[in-house]
Amino acid sequence: MFDRFREECGVVAVCGHPEAANLAYLGLYALQHRGQESAGIASSDGREVRCTREMGYVVDVFTPEQLARLPGHMAIGHTRYSTAGSTVLANAQPFAVVCNKGRIAVAHNGNLTNGAELRRELEQQGSIFQSSSDTEVILHLVALSRERTLAGALREALLQLEGAFSMVFLAEDRVIVARDPHGFRPLAMGQMELSGGRTCCVFASETCAFDLIGALYMNEVEPGEMVMAGPEGLTRERYVPEQPRAHCVFEQVYFSRPDSIVFGRPVEQSRELLGRLLAREHPVEADVVVPVPDSGVAAALGYADESGIPFRHGLIRNHYIGRTFIEPSQAIRDFGVRLKLNPVRRLLEGRRVVLVDDSIVRGTTSRKIVRMVGQAGAREVHLRIACPPTISPCFYGVDTPTKRELIAANSSVEEIRRFVEADTLGYLSLAGLREAVGDVERCAYCYACYTGDYPTELLNLEELMQARTRR
Ligand code: AMP
C-alpha cells in the first residue's frame, strides 16, 4: 500500500474517436494507481503526431488547454512509475520520434530483460539515446529495420525483445498494440459504439479504464499478438509462435484494481478467494478481522466471510497524500506510517485482531502497522498475508528489492513473526494462491517472486541484479 514501492505503468490506446486524447486522459485517470510519477499522451489527426508528457499525476499534468493541443481521432497514453531507468522527465512516456518509418510514438508497460544488452549493441552501431528507459530501445530497433512498413519493422523489433511488454504504438494513420509472448503484463481490448453505426477501438492495461469511458470489454490482446487499428479496420496477428503463458500473479494479488478484469479474470474474485483460502489454511480465534487498507481489503472480506469473524475498518487510510507533501521540521518529522494510516481505537481496544494484508516485502512497514494496532489497545495481533513469502526479485516489471532486502528470502516465518512483533503469522500457500487465481490446471501464471523459478531464460541475471541494487 505504500508509494515507495509503487511500480509499474498503465497504458491506453484509442482509435477512431473524435475526442481520442480526452478518452486517453480519462483512461489514464482510471489507471493512476499503476504509476504516479509521470503521465503522457500522444495523439494523431492522420497527419501529425503530437505528444505531451510531464512529471506528476494525470490530473495535474493535463489542463483543458493542453488536451486541446492534442487533436485527432487516435491517441495513446501512459502513466508511469519506473522499474528501469531513473526518475526524470526524459524517461516519461510516450516517446515520440520522427524516423524513416514516419512519425511514431510508443508507450510500454513491463520490463525488457535484455534491454541493457540491446542498448549496448545499438550504441555500438551509432544510436544516440535520449533517456535511460529501455522503451527507447524499441524505437531504435524500428528505425533501424530494413522492413518498409511500420508493421513489418515492428514485428522485427518485437522478435528481438525479451521479458515483459504490453505496448501501444501510434503512427500518423494507425494504432498498433502488442504483447510479449508470455503475456506477463495485461492488455485488454474494448469497443465503443459511435453514432452512425461506427465503432471505436480502445485498449488499456485494465478494464476499469473502459468502465470510465463507457467502452465495452471485448477480450485480451493475446500473448504474442499484435493488433492493428487503422484505415483497413482491425487486424490481429500472432507475430511469434505460441509460448507458455506467464501472467504476473502479483497483478491479481496487489497491483490491479479489484474492479478490473485482468487476464480475463475479475480481480475481486481472486482477492476474495485469497482471503477465504487464507482463513482455511490459517484459522485463529479472534474478535475482528481488520484489513490493511487498501491492499488487504478484499482478502480481509474473504477471510471474515469464511471464518465468521466480523470485518471492521480498524485502520483508516488518508488518500490525499500526494508526492508534493512537504515534511515539517525534523523535530516532528518521524510520523512513520501515521501519515497514511490511523487506527480506530474503539474497534481495536481489548480485541483479538486478525490483521490482513496482501504481502510482506521488507517487513518494515508491516512491523509499524502491527505496532500501531497493538498501541491502539489490541489484545492480540494475528497477521495474515494473502500470498506466499516473497523470496525473489521480479525482473518483469514489479519493483521488488534485492534478495538481500527481502525479509522472507533470509528469514523463516517464525523469524519474520518475531520481527514484525505479531502474536501469530500465516502466509497463504502457493497451492492456495494458484487456486485463488484459477490457475490449478492451466499453469498460466508467473510465480517467480514466490518460487525463484523465472519463466524465461535470464542469461544476464547478474547484470539485472546489479541494476536493481543501483536503484
Ligand atoms: P513491508 O512490510 O515494508 O514489506 O511493506 C509491506 C506493504 O507493502 C504491504 O502493505 C504491501 O501492500 C505493500 N507492497 C508490497 N509490494 C508492493 C509493491 N510492489 N508496490 C507497492 N506496495 C507494495
Side-chain angles (χ1 to χ4, degrees):
M1 55 133 236
F2 282 97
D3 292 347
R4 77 195 150 78
F5 288 121
R6 269 283 185 193
E7 262 308 322
E8 281 228 356
C9 304
V11 292
V12 293
V14 179
C15 185
H17 195 286
E19 289 189 60
N22 285 341
L23 291 186
Y25 166 79
L26 289 170
L28 290 182
Y29 180 74
L31 297 178
Q32 183 74 83
H33 61 288
R34 296 184 70 85
Q36 301 85 42
E37 183 185 281
S38 67
I41 294 175
S43 77
S44 174
D45 55 6
R47 288 183 302 278
E48 204 169 322
V49 172
R50 299 174 177 85
C51 185
T52 296
R53 53 196 187 124
E54 294 277 355
M55 306 302 284
Y57 288 155
V58 177
V59 282
D60 299 326
V61 167
F62 294 100
T63 58
E65 295 74 34
Q66 249 161 341
L67 284 169
R69 284 197 290 269
L70 292 167
H73 57 286
M74 292 180 291
I76 60 170
H78 189 261
T79 170
R80 171 180 197 261
Y81 197 108
S82 62
T83 43
S86 54
T87 311
V88 286
L89 181 58
N91 287 329
Q93 299 186 29
F95 289 127
V97 292
V98 183
C99 68
N100 52 6
K101 309 291 180 307
R103 293 167 194 274
I104 49 173
V106 61
H108 165 211
N109 171 206
N111 189 45
L112 302 181
T113 52
N114 66 341
E117 223 170 293
L118 287 172
R119 189 189 176 101
R120 268 196 304 273
E121 283 167 24
L122 286 162
E123 279 175 339
Q124 270 158 20
Q125 290 169 43
S127 292
I128 297 167
F129 281 83
Q130 295 187 350
S131 74
S132 61
S133 156
D134 55 357
T135 310
E136 204 187 341
V137 164
I138 301 152
L139 288 176
H140 284 274
L141 292 175
V142 168
L144 280 173
S145 168
R146 284 173 200 275
E147 291 280 339
R148 279 199 318 234
T149 64
L150 176 62
L154 209 50
R155 208 177 288 122
E156 202 177 271
L158 293 175
L159 288 170
Q160 296 176 63
L161 307 180
E162 285 167 20
F165 52 89
S166 283
M167 284 181 196
V168 293
F169 293 86
L170 178 69
E172 285 146 15
D173 65 342
R174 66 193 61 221
V175 163
I176 308 180
V177 306
R179 227 172 137 201
D180 70 72
H182 300 282
F184 282 103
R185 309 257 70 95
L187 190 59
M189 193 167 151
Q191 211 175 39
M192 285 171 89
E193 300 296 333
L194 305 182
S195 59
R198 289 170 307 133
T199 56
C200 156
C201 198
V202 290
F203 302 89
S205 300
E206 292 181 38
T207 57
C208 62
F210 297 162
D211 297 338
L212 183 57
I213 61 175
L216 194 67
Y217 166 59
M218 305 298 285
N219 47 43
E220 300 287 298
V221 173
E222 292 294 316
E225 189 182 36
M226 194 161 108
V227 182
M228 270 167 288
E232 311 84 22
L234 196 75
T235 54
R236 303 181 72 149
E237 73 160 72
R238 173 166 283 290
Y239 67 86
V240 68
E242 196 159 339
Q243 290 179 30
R245 294 189 174 203
H247 303 320
C248 171
V249 78
F250 204 55
E251 291 277 354
Q252 296 283 351
V253 170
Y254 170 86
F255 219 80
S256 300
R257 265 174 45 166
D259 52 336
S260 287
I261 298 170
V262 163
F263 308 129
R265 183 175 175 86
V267 175
E268 193 279 332
Q269 185 184 354
S270 299
R271 297 244 171 109
E272 192 194 312
L273 202 46
L274 288 168
R276 284 189 182 281
L277 297 171
L278 187 58
R280 278 185 224 158
E281 289 185 9
H282 296 285
V284 62
E285 267 195 37
D287 305 306
V288 279
V289 173
V290 171
V292 175
D294 295 327
S295 47
V297 173
L301 279 165
Y303 193 107
D305 228 29
E306 188 70 22
S307 63
I309 304 169
F311 174 97
R312 293 288 181 272
H313 279 296
L315 290 167
I316 301 300
R317 181 175 179 187
N318 183 335
H319 287 98
Y320 305 99
I321 308 288
R323 297 208 149 239
T324 46
F325 181 80
I326 300 159
E327 287 200 2
S329 69
Q330 188 65 47
I332 51 167
R333 186 187 269 174
D334 196 21
F335 295 119
V337 294
R338 259 169 226 288
L339 210 49
K340 285 198 175 159
L341 293 180
N342 197 33
V344 184
R345 199 167 256 283
R346 196 182 73 81
L347 296 175
L348 302 172
E349 218 158 28
R351 304 274 169 87
R352 294 166 300 173
V353 177
V354 183
L355 188 63
V356 181
D357 203 357
D358 70 295
S359 53
I360 299 180
V361 182
R362 292 182 172 88
T364 46
T365 310
S366 306
R367 168 149 89 169
K368 287 177 190 164
I369 297 171
V370 171
R371 268 190 196 164
M372 178 185 270
V373 173
Q375 282 164 2
R379 189 143 56 90
E380 292 168 13
V381 183
H382 302 280
L383 185 59
R384 294 293 177 268
I385 302 299
C387 71
T390 307
I391 57 163
S392 290
C394 175
F395 301 115
Y396 306 111
V398 174
D399 188 22
T400 32
T402 56
K403 228 178 163 97
R404 202 162 43 82
E405 293 165 279
L406 286 171
I407 189 166
N410 306 292
S411 323
S412 67
V413 173
E414 172 54 20
E415 284 165 342
I416 301 170
R417 183 198 67 76
R418 265 186 271 135
F419 178 80
V420 299
E421 299 171 2
D423 291 289
T424 67
L425 168 64
Y427 282 93
L428 185 68
S429 66
L430 186 62
L433 175 59
R434 293 186 60 161
E435 187 179 338
V437 300
D439 196 39
V440 177
E441 265 126 50
R442 289 189 331 142
C443 299
Y445 278 83
C446 170
Y447 301 97
C449 50
Y450 309 121
T451 61
D453 292 334
Y454 295 99
T456 62
E457 212 177 346
L458 297 170
L459 295 172
N460 52 344
L461 190 61
E462 200 58 37
E463 187 177 36
L464 289 167
M465 294 271 193
Q466 272 167 14
R468 201 145 278 269
T469 319
R470 276 200 301 276
R471 289 218 313 272

